[in-house]
Amino acid sequence: MWKKHAARGKALVGCLIFFSLLQEVAGQVSVFSRYAGQPVSLHSFDPSKPYYITTWKDRIPSTVKIIRRFDDRTAVIQLDSQSDIEQLKNSTHISPANDQWKLSPGAEISTGKYSSSTLDVILTVTDTESLKNILREMTGLFRIMAVDEPSRSFIIKTSAQFLREKLLPLKQVIFADIRIEPHTEIGIIGYNRSFHGLNAVDYAIPGANGKNIVAGVKEQKMEALDLDLYKRVLPSGIAAATTSNHATVISSIIGGAGNSFYDGRGIAYGCAFFPSSFSNLFPDDAAILNAAKVTVQNHSYGTVIQQFYGAEAVSYDVQTWQNKNLLHVFSAGNQGTAVASSGSYANIPGYANLTGNFKMAKNIITVGATDNKGNIPVESSAGPLYDGRIAPQLIALGPNGTSDAAAIVSGTVAVLQQVYADNNGLAIPPASLIKALLYNNADDIYRAGIDYKTGYGLLNSFAAVLALLQHEYDGGSVIQSQQWTRTITIPPNCAQVKLTLAWTDSASLPNNNKALINDLDLELVQLSNGSVYKPWVLSAAAHIDSLSKLPVRKRDSLNTAEQVSIQLPAAGNYEVRVTGSSVPGTVIPFHIAFHTDTLNTFRFTSPQHTSDVNRDENADLDIRWRTFVADTNQTGNLYISYNTGLTWQLIKAGHKIYTNYYQWPIKDTNSRALFKMETGFGDFLSKEFVISKVTRLNVDFLCTDSFRLSWNKHIYAGSYKLFALVDSPYLKPVLNVADSFIVLNRSQYTSLVYAVEPVLTNGLPAARSIALDISFQGVKCFYKTFYYTLFDQNKLDLILELSAPGYVDSLFFEQVSSNGQLIKNHGSIKVNSSSSLYDQFINEVPGGTSYWRVRIKLKSGAVVYSEIVSVLTSGTRYILFYPNPSRRTNSMVYNLKQGVPPDSRLQFFDISGRMLRDFTELPGIIKANSLPAGMLIYKLLTREGQLLETGKLLLLQ
């Protein structure tokens, strides 16, 4: 019986293999027939048409010059002579190729749809100088817009017809694409600095801030005068002409100074910024980036979903291959609900929807988004890339989508580069080391292991920086078939060991079926028993069920990063092996990051500082920790103490501690606080912090010679530190103040931007206030505003709001001339120091424009004046025309007595009583040229016809 089942099983497997081979052959025939040209004799080689499509029975020989590979057996190749054809005729199916193989998927659609429309076309060529010479001699409707030398590409404005008929047939042209306009990628979620250990980097690793690193921001220009970017935006000849709030926010997330408030502080707050425009979708000129010392560049934009390795991707891979320290970080895109329209993964919902072919490059990082609950928004674009590679490689918190997520990763890269440089003679680390550290220290999220939604996991900035400082990495280089090894020891009680290999690869040819050129392989071998642990690999089969499968251990032949991990590994010695499986003709440097986690350990990671606890901005506090337990059902009891641990109050009993997270509604109190997690393997305490209202700075008065600042008292403050923005990009302390206010002389304190921070008697750090520009607070010399309300019958109420009533003795409301000469005093008011609003009622207001101000007498005896406000009324009249006389070339304007309804009637008569115009409703403006010159009589009547007023006005020619 068993033998019968075994035989049937073998037969079934044989059928499946045969069916698979039939499908593969059918696919090859389809590609071949699609790109084969008109039947041409293979006995007459034409050097102007050197491209042939071929299909081998076995793999393509390495000696063949491949221009575009479709799979392991089918390719477009270049032949140089008749003898080359003769050598291949008997070993392969071969035909001259048509020109369609040169088109990207988007170009295939566009060139058929828009034959006469003007397009921006990208042409990749074998030799740029040769094509330049040809184009100089060519006539027709085309214009060269730009040339990208690294990818040997031209951007040409032309028609689809000209492209098909004149440009594609050129033998120099091997790829054609349509340029798509970029757009910023925004619109998903909110912000939280407890994510990624950002606050832990701020407060637990002093000096890790991106100092001396230049971060490129490629999109529109950021606002250079923004408080958090002040004096750190470098001059750039390739910056966009326009600034945008998006670019300013992105830059602030990367490295905002935190001048405005603590949540305006980016992770790399010591870096500088170099702006460039994303109107150029190719990489910026390497010489310009090198001159500006740019080592990380952020790209928070996309185009449309593209699933091919285009000229832009080629160019990024060329640039990073030539400069292996430069790292580009891209947003994955916010098109997670859309599908690819072409390529292997077309029409698969939820997958393969990154925006832009430049994101198909191998040596970049693409970043997806998570919300502040750790959920992956459906809008966040997912992989795989066109050839099955992992994307995005990381996810991060995206306040406004994957744009912001990419910025957090860029800021982390800048910090890693700075920390490495500080410890390595100012040398910038290779990008492969940075990627290995980031991927290896990312937190697993969404589902177990790597996946196409989150890549290697959720960015953990703190863990990555700590791993760099603790030298949890190594590196080397290999050539073809060479093996690099290192022995590591895994200690007892290990929860997990994880290793990640990363390298920078050379560029492939555009539109190739697979981007990888140099293939390295990672293995971890347990020396005691010879067990081999291969990297985790995802299924790349083009089906939604396959793409959502968990990873399996096998050889990876697609990605430029590979990861091995073992849960609960046996203690002992292990050998790390890196093999050059396919390294054609060069030496490939690489880096490995490694880390072990210990079972039954626990550490609070947030809150780190009082600024993490702000009930005004967020009523709930995200309490975060890092722990490793063998059983996910293991629980702990979370407590809080308000008296430095003398007594404890239970927050949550039986909380599953593997979640590393609990959201706590912040208590409405002013108190010191401390968390404790009680577990089966010990009790663990958080850092002590303060719960209190954030200090708010106020401007009380702003005069020409002095100004006063005040703030709310802090329960634990012994004094206050006053900060000012003077001659530095950062706020600096300028005074220590004992009270909760201070008056400053403007000749001595010339800065316009100030903030205050309590200095606590208990020694704990406090949160600094928001920084204020004193000139933008609407505060003048002892008052805030002076305005009026006009009531019916033109009764006027003058209103003054004081900013510092405690300094003021009395107020005098005055009618003055336009230049401030006193006409009449309308009474005085004694000021009560507890009241800020004062008003004066005026019963009789003159017709026309009158002018009013307030004389403010201070308790010191000094006098200051408010601004002068003008009031236009009809006075005692129902309607006032102005100017009067008026010219026929101008429009007539009028003012109504307050309370007169706008649906009143207005009539004009000449001096003889003949009616000239009758308005059944009052017009906004009266065109005087419709009336004759001379003396006119007007009548204002109610809607019912009751006469309100008659008067005269003079209309001049």
Side-chain angles (χ1 to χ4, degrees), residues 450-487:
I450 60 175
D451 59 73
Y452 289 123
K453 300 284 188 179
T454 68
Y456 296 97
L458 176 68
L459 171 73
N460 190 324
S461 303
F462 179 68
V465 175
L466 209 59
L468 176 60
L469 287 170
Q470 294 174 348
H471 210 89
E472 293 181 345
Y473 62 88
D474 203 345
S477 60
V478 291
I479 58 174
Q480 176 65 38
S481 302
Q482 185 180 14
Q483 189 174 85
W484 175 95
T485 63
R486 169 178 169 165
T487 300

Side-chain angles (χ1 to χ4, degrees), residues 188-205:
I188 299 180
I189 39 187
Y191 193 51
N192 186 327
R193 283 184 63 81
S194 70
F195 263 75
H196 316 304
L198 298 184
N199 50 7
V201 176
D202 278 353
Y203 302 114
I205 310 178

Side-chain angles (χ1 to χ4, degrees), residues 522-721:
L522 173 66
E523 292 178 338
L524 183 63
V525 181
Q526 187 175 352
L527 294 179
S528 62
N529 58 17
S531 296
V532 177
Y533 297 91
K534 290 186 178 294
W536 295 109
V537 177
L538 293 168
S539 170
H543 190 279
I544 191 167
D545 292 340
S546 299
L547 298 179
S548 59
K549 284 182 178 178
L550 293 175
V552 297
R553 297 188 190 275
K554 59 185 287 190
R555 179 174 177 269
D556 187 334
S557 60
L558 291 176
N559 296 286
T560 55
E562 299 181 3
Q563 190 170 92
V564 172
S565 64
I566 310 173
Q567 300 293 319
L568 302 174
N573 292 329
Y574 290 71
E575 186 174 78
V576 182
R577 295 176 182 172
V578 177
T579 306
S581 299
S582 178
V583 184
T586 188
V587 177
I588 298 297
F590 63 84
H591 283 88
I592 287 181
F594 49 85
H595 182 74
T596 58
D597 293 306
T598 305
L599 273 175
N600 300 330
T601 55
F602 187 101
R603 176 172 53 83
F604 281 100
T605 59
S606 187
Q608 289 279 330
H609 189 274
T610 298
S611 60
D612 295 332
V613 189
N614 184 348
R615 191 172 54 248
D616 292 345
E617 291 200 354
N618 194 337
D620 297 322
L621 173 66
D622 289 342
I623 307 171
R624 297 185 186 276
W625 57 85
R626 193 165 177 83
T627 189
F628 298 93
V629 291
D631 182 4
T632 56
N633 291 314
Q634 190 164 346
T635 62
N637 301 321
L638 182 63
Y639 295 88
I640 189 168
S641 173
Y642 298 104
N643 53 15
T644 63
L646 294 177
T647 59
W648 295 94
Q649 297 179 19
L650 181 65
I651 293 177
K652 175 70 183 301
H655 185 70
K656 290 187 177 181
I657 60 175
Y658 87 94
T659 61
N660 291 321
Y661 170 80
Y662 183 77
Q663 190 173 73
W664 175 63
I666 302 171
K667 186 176 179 180
D668 187 4
T669 183
N670 290 294
S671 176
R672 302 168 70 161
L674 181 70
F675 291 119
K676 178 177 74 172
M677 182 65 82
E678 184 181 81
T679 74
F681 50 88
D683 296 350
F684 303 91
L685 303 180
S686 73
K687 287 186 176 182
E688 192 176 9
F689 57 94
V690 174
I691 302 173
S692 65
K693 288 189 178 296
V694 174
T695 303
R696 301 293 181 186
L697 186 64
N698 302 301
V699 182
D700 296 328
F701 62 78
L702 180 61
C703 301
T704 55
D705 61 340
S706 63
F707 61 97
R708 175 178 138 135
L709 304 173
S710 66
W711 48 89
N712 54 301
K713 288 187 176 181
H714 193 289
I715 186 173
Y716 297 118
S719 62
Y720 300 87
K721 196 182 298 182

Side-chain angles (χ1 to χ4, degrees), residues 381-401:
S381 291
L385 301 180
Y386 80 100
D387 54 358
R389 282 177 287 138
I390 294 175
Q393 289 81 34
L394 292 168
I395 59 164
L397 181 64
N400 293 298

Side-chain angles (χ1 to χ4, degrees), residues 835-847:
S835 179
S836 298
L837 278 176
Y838 298 86
D839 70 332
Q840 178 70 48
F841 208 75
I842 311 295
N843 284 314
E844 295 184 3
V845 183

Side-chain angles (χ1 to χ4, degrees), residues 283-301:
D284 295 325
D285 187 280
I288 294 175
L289 294 181
N290 290 337
K293 299 183 178 179
V294 174
T295 52
V296 56
Q297 190 175 45
N298 186 82
H299 306 258
S300 289
Y301 56 87

